[in-house]
Amino acid sequence: RWKQTITAFEGWDIPKRTKIVSLYQIVGDTTIMFQGINIECLKIAANSESKFGKGHSVFLFHEAYGFVLIENEINGFSTRLKLIELR
């Protein structure tokens, strides 16, 4: 487990100098289908809090490919970023 504090600057409707505190934890290993093959990834979960609300994130990280999946839920809104191709 580790704690990280970042300061967001203006953009994405975030006022200047907004602090976001996140608590991360390695959940374990998981498998995901990527380009037709199963790859082993490290699963990391995070809970975040700022003056705008609370959020939860899940990251799947592969040693060679980097982050292959990032899912965020903040105040009921969800985003999902997924690696779709290597070139």
Side-chain angles (χ1 to χ4, degrees):
R1 292 183 96 167
W2 69 96
K3 183 178 180 180
Q4 180 72 43
T5 301
I6 63 170
T7 302
F9 293 93
E10 288 180 291
W12 297 343
D13 291 331
I14 298 173
K16 196 172 189 177
R17 314 252 339 138
T18 299
K19 287 190 180 189
I20 303 166
V21 179
S22 301
L23 182 61
Y24 295 85
Q25 181 174 351
I26 296 173
V27 177
D29 294 322
T30 190
T31 302
I32 187 171
M33 180 71 72
F34 178 69
Q35 293 189 337
I37 60 169
N38 286 322
I39 59 171
E40 288 288 322
C41 296
L42 185 63
K43 185 175 182 178
I44 303 164
N47 290 302
S48 303
E49 191 169 335
S50 75
K51 64 183 177 181
F52 298 108
K54 296 181 180 183
H56 178 74
S57 301
V58 174
F59 306 90
L60 297 185
F61 181 81
H62 185 272
E63 191 174 278
Y65 305 143
F67 290 101
V68 295
L69 181 68
I70 301 172
E71 296 178 325
N72 293 299
E73 187 273 316
I74 302 168
N75 293 336
F77 294 96
S78 298
T79 58
R80 186 174 196 218
L81 304 171
K82 185 176 181 181
L83 180 64
I84 57 172
E85 180 180 23
L86 289 175
R87 295 184 189 195

